[in-house]
Amino acid sequence: MPDVTRIEIAMRSGFADSRGRAVARRIRTHLGIAVRDVRTRDVYHVEPALGQEDAERVARAFAGPVTRIGAVGRIPEDGADWDVAITVGYRPGVTDPVGKSARVAIEDLLGRSLGPDAAVYTSRVYLLAGVSLEQGQRIARELLANEIIERIDVRSWDEFAGGPVDLSVPKVSATAVPPVETIDLELSDDELVRLSRERLLALSLDEMKAIREHFRGAADDPRRRAVGLTGAPTDAELECLAQTWSEHCKHKIMNARIRYEEPGRPPEIVDSLFATCIKGTTEQLDRRIREREGRSWLVSVFHDNAGVIAATERHHLVYKVETHNSPSALDPYGGAITGIVGVNRDPFGTGLGADLLSNVWGYCFASPNTHGEVPRGLLHPRRIREGVHQGVIDGGNQSGIPYARGWEYFDERFLGKPLVFCGTVGRMPVEVEGHPAERKRCRPGDRIVMVGGRIGKDGIHGATFSSAELTEESPVQAVQIGDPITQKMMFDFLLEARDRGLYSAITDNGAGGLSSSVGEMAEQPGGARMDLARAPLKYQGLAPWEILVSEAQERMTLAVPPDRLEAFLELAARREVEATDLGEFTDDGMFHVLYDGRTVCWLPLEFLHGGVPAMDLSARWSPPAAQPLAPLPRPEPERMAELAIEFLARENLASNELISRQYDHEVKGLSIVRPFVGRGADVPSDATVMQIDHARWEGYVLAEGVFPGYSDVDAAAMAEAGVDLAVRRVVAAGARFDRIAALDNYCWPDPLPAPDNPDAEHKLAQLVRASRGLARACLAYGVPLVSGKDSMKNDAVIGGRRISIPPTLLVSAIGLIEDVRRAVTLETRGAGDLLVIVGETRDELGGTEWARARGVQPTTVPRCDPERWAGRYRTVSAVIRDGLVRAAHAPGRGGLLPALFRMSRAAGLGVEVDLDVLPRDGEPGWEALLFGESCGRFLLACAPDRREDVVRRLEGVPCAVIGRFVERPVLGVRHEGQVLLDIETGRLAEGWLRTLADDDAGEGDRA
Amino acid sequence: MSGRRDVRVLIPTGFGLNCEAETARAFEVLGAAPDLVHWTDLFARRHDRRLADYDVIVFVGGFSYGDHIAGGLVLATRIRARLLDDLRAFLEGGGFALGICNGFQTLLRLGLLPGPEELPHDFEPRADLAPNDRLGYRDAWVRLRVEDGTRCAWLRGVERIDVPSRHGEGRFVVAGEAELDRLERRGAVALRYVGPDGEPTETWPFNPNGSRRGIAGITDASGRILGLMPHPDAFLHPWHHPRAPVHDDPESAFRPTGLAIFRAGLEAAASR
């Protein structure tokens, strides 16, 4: 008999089990199984066992007085007619946050500790009526559990209720610590490549050779011999280098020397896209700002975990966006929650630390309505979408951080790799204890202190894993599960410690774990020495190299001056946060890691950080052959109405308001313009606006632009359009035009040559073009790039078939506004208000949503003219900020029609426009006028008596009054003197509201 | 309002609570200076004041212990184990308590709401806040109506409240209709969700959780304790209202009705 107590909690019969009901609905709609009823039970296994009286006390306390029943062992049968019982629990070693909280509750309830090795393990039982055992298996695998991290037990009700009570727990059995291995690199090239692959190092042959070269040279170093090491690397050294040199950490492709070719032009050499297009752009803008203003508002860029810009007298703003694609493909919930709580640690670990203000999220998925089987090894996109949403919802809400921006984009090519973008804005005080808060001050002698969660095998090889393509054998260890509450408690403690000046530097433990965090922090003082045997573990038996590179979550690494150590550890203990002194920073130039006093890793920092050989790559752009669009004859109004309804109901235009409202968007009390605006609060806003401080009116404005569809024609057009839309959106909301910064997040299909990747050179050429487009637009608009990230292996090879994502660049803009009370939305005030368009419409339907709807691929992709448009935006910005307009909107995906629809719906009014007066360039037909996505345009609404003022202020800018808002609830469009569209706005909204309205989608696997 | 400044307000923090900043701001706007103290310092009695030294304690919103097991349950269990005597002394001294969202869940699980029909408090839980009928967390503004003639000090002079509702477990449930009748008769129901017609509603989205008879907030027998699911701490100035950016004169159009609750409580505490 195991030494375990089982406690079950369930809703009493007679009280609704809304969770069970939601599961039943999903079984019916997603799997087409006619389940009759579902109820659920929460199970707590406590080890070691509790006495009967104590156990009953716990069951009573957990159940509460009315709706729920608690029992020790099994809940007595209530006469219900069940067929199948499914139990879902975690696999050994997987984070169980509920179990952790339950232990705290039990210990306080009983007034005693459960003992050092005690644990509470949670699982969930689903009771189903009206299904067979076989259907139960399918429901468990395809809906309720993810076998990568969870165990499933499916049995008949009779067996469940009549058999012995299940007391099994997913305990990790303690094993001996594996010895440190020495790895022989004196191998042939093929053997080196194989070694890299088999150990999941993701190192290239050149890199393996560079490492071999280093150790050959180190063989005779007496200092190395003195610490007991030889001329071959230890496993810890090799793993540490693999993590530090991973694409994820080193951005080798963005830093490569690239020979770039395109048809009709001589080849040229690009020496690092990062140095030229990104850093170079920002440096140029920084100089321009200094010349103009005397000093720069760029406070800290490129060398820390996130970019820092000046905002108010009291605070700087910190912003970072990350992706968490590969883990989310394997375990959508765990991958996504780790993505959001992980990116939280970036601003938090910038400078001396920032407190967090708002999150952003954005996802690229294949259609959730994908029919038929998905390839083996992949999850259905609907399941990925549900899990990702629930993960980010739980991660954000439980951390008490509101979301500011959220979007989804659907394309079948995201079947192989979904993209999960998560970002966080933080604010740091301008000074901490008299020191600039953006500067870390790590000195030799400072203690290396790890704070937060414990280390397990979770997330081992995360950095190298994300730098490799997904295959059917992708390692289970690469999945971590974030625990937002543990992190929240750690953050609360660290903010206290920061404000008391108890540490001198902070960084997060993300990719590469301690090897990266301590390795990077060691650069400032010039060395580090730590002993891994001191690190707190979730369970025994980890090899030293595993402790070094584990990506177990919720951990920060700090430098604590020796005279503050006691106070720091005392405060941590008081706040019930684990903090451990692992060693000290030094200045001997070495990254020196020991295990129980024996050296396991001894690497010069210079080699660790500077030894990776630069890549030489070749890029060749093969643009698609020019393809015009065969125009459609103009339909009759009734047919046009149907087209408009169908168009707005497309997944890429439809409302996702219901699921978005499951994310908190106003906790902290700083939100002013929310993600959804308008009379019904259901129209997505162009940009959101938040205060920075409760007591001040200054604010920041967030928006983004992302156009994966354009990269098929030209990735440069995609990048420019992304910058352009992000900028137009923050301008529309009232941001200062001279205080806009941006982040770049590249997600690319693998641009490295390989036998199964024949068009790698083209993909790399797309990367070059996107980077140049990005730089061009940012320079023209004066928008520095303050932070960014790239993810270069967004492919899946399944059954020999490569599924690559379209190259995707997300541009996230952050702007400043002096007074949030003057922010503008896309909702105007009343009937009679005029609608003004700014900017020309051109025949640009390439890569647009309309072209996709028609199933055609014209190459007339929307192009930007940012050098010319910068002055226009400055003018428009002034018009908006001077209060001349009542509403402003930047048309984006889908063009004018969705933009008119949104403005009309927001105001609760009809709108009548005449396409014939639209300023134009070339000869756009009705399709381009209504659905073209030409950049550079704004829609402004103003009171009739402001018409003269607005038009006068816009002198020299192409603009026209195209119509007005009317009481009649109709969207009316005229073209060439005739009615093109005349449809009731309510009818127009039906599909738009319905397509993504499965609000049950929020009920994740482990909600 | 002399005296407001002298009211001693405690806002305990930590363990995943996350609305302490806006809650503190509410009191600051009204001229009070709240103490933000981590629960661990209250547990360890490291803070230089005990609970009974305060006039007002606010149990703020958030996700204490991640809503694990049930919202507010782990925190309530810890408070019960470590601070029950202090809490009793605070209540017997006539202190005022407000529980918002997770704070309401916590007060409910501590047995302070609805509490016994007659004082003193016996710390016996009598009701649940169950998962929303329509499953899942939801953030959307709702309208609340204050119960006619309520004895609740936090609602004195307040009639209608517009505030966001932000929870996944807010359906107030007691054992049966008769018990609900009894609660209503004794004046425990303080706030209800209302529909567009201004009448109490059980219908989503006006009532976000499907609570019977639209119940949104509960007070105890003394009227000094109020618990409510929606967030008065989220409507402290006119521009918190989602429609403020599209109004010519938000200041007169959007009276911050969230702040009104804090004002009423503070004034009641000042004049005791």
Side-chain angles (χ1 to χ4, degrees), chain A residues 21 67 664 666 827 829, chain B residues 68 128 133 137 139 243 248:
Chain A
R21 211 180 46 211
T67 55
D664 196 308
E666 52 199 331
E827 177 185 346
R829 305 287 156 75
Chain B
H68 299 154
D128 272 341
D133 189 42
Y137 188 93
D139 178 350
R243 302 202 44 76
D248 287 321

Side-chain angles (χ1 to χ4, degrees), chain A residues 18 21 67 101 108 400 570 574-576 661-662 664-666 668-669 674 678 827 829 999 1003, chain B residues 18 22 40-41 46 63 68 78 81-82 128 132-135 137 139 141 164 166 240 243 246 248:
Chain A
S18 29
R21 211 180 46 211
T67 55
S101 298
D108 268 21
E570 189 273 334
R574 190 139 49 95
R575 297 292 174 252
E576 301 178 11
R661 286 200 178 276
Q662 299 194 357
D664 196 308
H665 61 256
E666 52 199 331
K668 290 183 189 294
R674 318 298 212 275
E827 177 185 346
R829 305 287 156 75
D999 70 315
E1003 216 275 339
Chain B
N18 58 39
E22 56 264 49
T40 55
D41 283 347
R46 279 194 57 126
F63 278 82
H68 299 154
R78 301 200 73 180
R82 291 162 183 264
D128 272 341
N132 296 353
D133 189 42
R134 191 166 169 148
L135 191 67
Y137 188 93
D139 178 350
W141 280 57
R166 309 190 319 236
H240 272 147
R243 302 202 44 76
V246 283
D248 287 321

Side-chain angles (χ1 to χ4, degrees), chain A residues 176-183 199 224 227-230 232-239 531-533 541-548 593-602:
Chain A
V177 177
V180 175
E181 286 178 60
T182 300
I183 315 252
R199 287 197 75 106
R224 183 170 175 84
V227 296
L229 296 183
T230 67
T234 65
D235 50 9
E237 287 174 326
L238 198 55
E239 294 282 352
D531 193 322
L532 296 172
L542 270 69
W545 74 263
E546 292 177 311
I547 301 173
L548 187 60
V593 183
L594 303 97
Y595 184 84
D596 206 13
R598 243 188 66 206
T599 296
V600 299
C601 168
W602 191 81

Side-chain angles (χ1 to χ4, degrees), chain A residues 494-741:
Chain A
L494 287 173
L495 286 176
E496 262 187 90
R498 178 194 73 183
D499 294 340
R500 284 176 54 187
L502 295 183
Y503 60 82
S504 57
I506 182 170
T507 199
D508 97 284
N509 275 284
L514 286 172
S515 75
S516 293
S517 68
V518 179
E520 281 167 24
M521 218 190 238
E523 286 195 276
Q524 191 173 32
R529 183 170 56 240
M530 64 175 166
D531 193 322
L532 296 172
R534 296 190 195 175
L537 304 181
K538 294 181 178 177
Y539 37 84
Q540 297 310 309
L542 270 69
W545 74 263
E546 292 177 311
I547 301 173
L548 187 60
V549 303
S550 163
E551 294 177 13
Q553 293 291 297
E554 291 84 44
R555 294 181 296 143
M556 303 293 286
T557 296
L558 289 95
V560 178
D563 61 343
R564 307 286 165 97
L565 184 66
E566 197 186 329
F568 183 91
L569 296 177
E570 189 273 334
L571 184 63
R574 190 139 49 95
R575 297 292 174 252
E576 301 178 11
V577 172
E578 193 152 5
T580 313
D581 177 5
L582 298 180
E584 63 181 354
F585 290 99
T586 63
D587 55 5
D588 64 1
M590 301 305 295
F591 183 54
H592 188 177
V593 183
L594 303 97
Y595 184 84
D596 206 13
R598 243 188 66 206
T599 296
V600 299
C601 168
W602 191 81
L603 289 168
L605 283 176
E606 206 184 328
F607 178 66
L608 182 62
H609 293 299
V612 60
M615 277 189 186
D616 272 302
L617 297 172
S618 156
R620 187 190 309 269
W621 191 43
S622 326
Q627 177 107 30
L629 179 73
L632 277 186
R634 193 173 68 204
E636 292 302 309
E638 194 38 44
R639 173 65 193 137
M640 188 62 226
E642 287 166 14
L643 285 175
I645 294 169
E646 285 166 26
F647 188 62
L648 289 173
R650 290 179 61 77
E651 284 162 352
N652 281 336
L653 295 171
S655 169
N656 65 353
E657 184 221 339
L658 271 181
I659 200 164
S660 298
R661 286 200 178 276
Q662 299 194 357
Y663 298 76
D664 196 308
H665 61 256
E666 52 199 331
V667 58
K668 290 183 189 294
L670 299 168
S671 307
I672 302 296
V673 175
R674 318 298 212 275
F676 288 89
V677 296
R679 279 188 176 271
D682 60 2
V683 176
S685 53
D686 279 67
T688 51
V689 180
M690 285 183 75
Q691 288 173 271
I692 296 167
D693 186 328
H694 289 100
R696 305 174 72 102
W697 292 114
E698 296 114 320
Y700 61 98
V701 186
L702 299 180
E704 67 294 312
V706 60
F707 290 97
Y710 296 1
S711 57
D712 292 329
V713 181
D714 185 356
M718 167 185 69
E720 288 170 18
V723 177
D724 184 69
L725 183 60
V727 167
R728 277 187 288 136
R729 281 175 165 166
V730 295
V731 165
R736 288 177 62 167
F737 188 60
D738 62 352
R739 283 292 186 282
I740 303 171

Side-chain angles (χ1 to χ4, degrees), chain B residues 71-226:
Chain B
L73 192 141
V74 181
L75 178 56
T77 303
R78 301 200 73 180
I79 296 170
R80 188 186 283 275
R82 291 162 183 264
L83 277 176
L84 202 60
D85 291 343
D86 286 29
L87 197 53
R88 188 175 282 122
F90 166 78
L91 295 169
E92 284 171 2
F96 292 75
L98 175 63
I100 302 166
C101 200
N102 195 257
F104 180 20
Q105 294 166 341
T106 306
L107 290 177
L108 185 106
R109 305 205 193 278
L110 278 167
L112 296 180
L113 291 172
E117 197 150 353
E118 281 174 40
L119 299 173
H121 277 282
D122 57 6
F123 297 89
E124 200 59 53
R126 291 174 170 82
D128 272 341
L129 284 159
N132 296 353
D133 189 42
R134 191 166 169 148
L135 191 67
Y137 188 93
R138 179 176 161 87
D139 178 350
W141 280 57
V142 294
R143 177 159 291 178
L144 308 178
R145 192 175 82 185
V146 175
E147 200 75 351
D148 276 347
T150 182
R151 65 174 163 267
C152 181
W154 294 92
L155 299 171
R156 214 161 284 160
V158 184
E159 282 172 21
R160 206 190 70 189
I161 302 166
D162 288 324
V163 276
S165 154
R166 309 190 319 236
H167 61 260
E169 294 177 22
R171 187 163 49 99
F172 181 80
V173 185
V174 291
E177 292 293 295
E179 179 62 22
L180 212 48
D181 290 341
R182 223 171 3 253
L183 277 183
E184 287 191 342
R185 269 201 311 276
R186 54 175 265 212
V189 176
L191 290 163
R192 297 180 203 261
Y193 301 104
V194 295
D197 59 357
E199 292 304 312
T201 181
E202 297 179 0
T203 307
W204 188 91
F206 310 105
N207 176 334
N209 53 52
S211 60
R212 294 281 294 123
R213 307 182 195 182
I215 293 173
I218 294 285
T219 190
D220 77 332
S222 74
R224 288 192 298 269
I225 307 179
L226 171 67

Side-chain angles (χ1 to χ4, degrees), chain A residues 24-53:
Chain A
R25 197 163 51 218
R26 288 167 70 219
I27 291 172
R28 292 185 202 112
T29 58
H30 296 8
L31 303 181
I33 296 173
V35 64
R36 203 163 59 242
D37 194 13
V38 179
R39 286 180 83 86
T40 61
R41 294 179 181 179
D42 290 322
V43 181
Y44 301 86
H45 280 156
V46 186
E47 184 185 30
L50 305 170
Q52 185 66 19
E53 201 176 307

